[in-house]
Amino acid sequence: MADDKPSTRNQYVQCLDRQLDLGKRELETWKNKRRFELEGLAKSSGITQPLDIYLRSEKSFINYLEDSCRWRYLRKMPDAVAAAIAYKHCELRLIDQRIATYKTPLD
């Protein structure tokens, strides 16, 4: 970051928080869409395994995101603001990747 003044860094963190809120909202929309598609498949075909595995993968993604971003956070400590920025950048990247995956239509 070009400007390392505390007020500027805090404003940047707030900006990242707003981006994360938007990204999480979009991710939730795509997750629900995919879940509804798989629930429809389960109802029409009686095959529930894809839905079960999808739900398990969602739990795994949450754990992956937290662990993947946490080590980046810890790497920047004791500078708490830099650590928060690293964590939030990581979250944004992983959320964007997950959304891109959801945008790929089911075969």
Side-chain angles (χ1 to χ4, degrees):
M1 232 160 82
D3 192 353
D4 281 340
K5 290 186 224 166
S7 63
T8 303
R9 292 175 74 195
N10 289 335
Q11 288 173 350
Y12 185 64
V13 170
Q14 290 172 350
C15 178
L16 291 174
D17 285 337
R18 288 188 295 275
Q19 289 178 341
L20 276 169
D21 287 343
L22 292 173
K24 288 176 182 179
R25 217 171 310 148
E26 183 179 2
L27 178 61
E28 194 63 31
T29 299
W30 281 102
K31 282 172 39 177
N32 289 336
K33 180 183 184 304
R34 186 54 41 94
R35 190 184 77 239
F36 291 138
E37 290 171 338
L38 293 171
E39 286 172 347
L41 173 69
K43 286 179 185 175
S44 66
S45 69
I47 300 171
T48 61
Q49 287 173 319
L51 177 60
D52 296 340
I53 293 169
Y54 165 77
L55 295 172
R56 188 175 68 221
S57 77
E58 281 308 306
K59 290 178 186 173
S60 296
F61 174 72
I62 292 167
N63 291 335
Y64 170 74
L65 183 142
E66 290 172 355
D67 287 344
S68 185
C69 297
R70 187 176 296 124
W71 70 262
R72 288 170 172 81
Y73 174 90
L74 293 172
R75 198 175 117 255
K76 295 288 186 174
M77 288 304 279
D79 184 342
V81 176
I85 289 170
Y87 191 96
K88 291 170 191 301
H89 279 168
C90 176
E91 272 187 299
L92 283 167
R93 273 191 310 274
L94 293 178
I95 287 170
D96 286 345
Q97 289 172 5
R98 191 70 167 185
I99 290 169
T101 300
Y102 281 130
K103 287 182 176 181
T104 304
L106 294 175
D107 295 336

